[in-house]
Structure formats: structure tokens, C-alpha cells
């Protein structure tokens, strides 16, 4: 397993932007599919985005397509989530997750390691 630490959450007005980052430990970062999930207040954790080990393939949840972009830098063991045109409905705790596999999945319980989460609050 890898250790994951998220950063970059905060309070932003609707229409604004935030960039989340996730730092991973270990020397085999490129072997992991990386994902971002979120848990809105009172709701279950949901898929946001995922990216393959080489960074060439990414998937997005329907509610964030066209607004969020996932990327990774394997040289520094980091994955990012650029969030633009934020909406109040994006308010949630955002989690970084890792899966040691070449297969990208949107399923929460297929990920092996999780960060502690970072709060994103979007005001209207």
C-alpha cells in the first residue's frame, strides 16, 4: 500500500476554482491507478475521476465532466484535481485513492489505499 496525503481544499464561491493535490509515498507510483472520490454531507462516497499509471487515460463522473481535470506527475509522486466552475453541489470531503493495477475502475471498494480527505466548500 501507499500512503496518501491530500492538500488544497478550502472555501470558494460558486464559479471559482480550486486545485487539489495528493502526495503518495513509495517508489512504484506509476504502477498505481489513482482516483479522486468525494463524500457530500449525509451521502455516500462517490466517484469523481481516475487516471491510469502513465497518465494517458482518464475517466470522470458525469457531474464533473468538462469542469474537473485529473492529472499526475510520476516524477514527484503526485496526482492533481483541477476543479473549475465549482458549484455548491460540489461541496464534499474529497479523497485521493490508489489502486495497484493497470485497470482503471470507478468502484470505490476496488481501491487499496486512501488519504484522510480534504474539505471543499462552495458557497452560493
Amino acid at each position: 500500500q501507499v500512503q496518501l496525503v491530500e492538500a488544497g481544499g478550502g472555501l470558494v464561491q460558486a464559479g471559482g476554482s480550486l486545485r487539489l493535490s495528493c502526495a503518495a509515498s513509495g517508489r512504484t507510483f506509476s504502477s498505481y491507478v489513482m482516483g479522486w472520490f468525494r463524500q457530500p454531507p449525509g451521502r455516500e462516497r462517490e466517484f469523481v475521476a481516475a487516471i491510469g499509471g502513465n497518465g494517458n487515460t482518464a475517466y470522470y463522473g458525469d457531474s464533473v465532466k468538462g469542469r474537473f481535470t485529473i492529472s499526475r506527475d510520476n516524477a514527484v509522486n503526485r496526482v492533481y484535481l483541477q476543479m473549475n466552475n465549482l458549484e455548491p453541489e460540489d461541496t464534499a470531503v474529497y479523497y485521493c485513492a490508489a489502486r495497484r493495477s493497470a485497470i482503471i475502475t470507478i468502484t470505490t471498494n476496488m481501491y487499496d489505499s486512501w488519504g484522510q480527505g480534504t474539505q471543499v466548500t462552495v458557497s452560493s
Side-chain angles (χ1 to χ4, degrees), residues 66-116:
R67 300 187 298 123
F68 290 12
T69 302
I70 188 171
S71 62
R72 65 190 296 159
D73 185 344
N74 289 343
V76 295
N77 285 15
R78 278 178 168 77
V79 62
Y80 305 98
L81 185 68
Q82 178 66 45
M83 305 185 293
N84 297 329
N85 194 21
L86 283 159
E87 304 168 352
E89 293 74 22
D90 296 316
T91 295
V93 178
Y94 283 71
Y95 296 90
C96 174
R99 178 174 190 247
R100 182 154 189 160
S101 173
I103 301 173
I104 301 175
T105 178
I106 67 171
T107 305
T108 307
N109 61 13
M110 297 296 287
Y111 285 78
D112 310 306
S113 302
W114 292 84
Q116 81 288 352

Side-chain angles (χ1 to χ4, degrees), residues 9-18 41 67 83 85-92 94 119-124:
L11 174 65
V12 64
Q13 288 188 332
S17 297
L18 280 175
R67 300 187 298 123
M83 305 185 293
N85 194 21
L86 283 159
E87 304 168 352
E89 293 74 22
D90 296 316
T91 295
Y94 283 71
Q119 177 70 47
V120 172
T121 302
V122 184
S123 63
S124 57

Side-chain angles (χ1 to χ4, degrees), residues 19-99:
R19 188 191 194 208
L20 305 183
S21 65
C22 173
S25 64
R27 296 180 292 176
T28 59
F29 182 65
S30 61
S31 300
Y32 288 82
V33 167
M34 298 301 296
W36 285 99
F37 292 77
R38 67 186 183 185
Q39 187 161 14
R43 293 169 55 184
E44 293 186 353
R45 196 169 297 188
E46 63 186 30
F47 172 75
V48 174
I51 189 167
N54 61 11
N56 291 338
T57 304
Y59 293 97
Y60 296 91
D62 289 341
S63 61
V64 307
K65 282 180 182 176
R67 300 187 298 123
F68 290 12
T69 302
I70 188 171
S71 62
R72 65 190 296 159
D73 185 344
N74 289 343
V76 295
N77 285 15
R78 278 178 168 77
V79 62
Y80 305 98
L81 185 68
Q82 178 66 45
M83 305 185 293
N84 297 329
N85 194 21
L86 283 159
E87 304 168 352
E89 293 74 22
D90 296 316
T91 295
V93 178
Y94 283 71
Y95 296 90
C96 174
R99 178 174 190 247

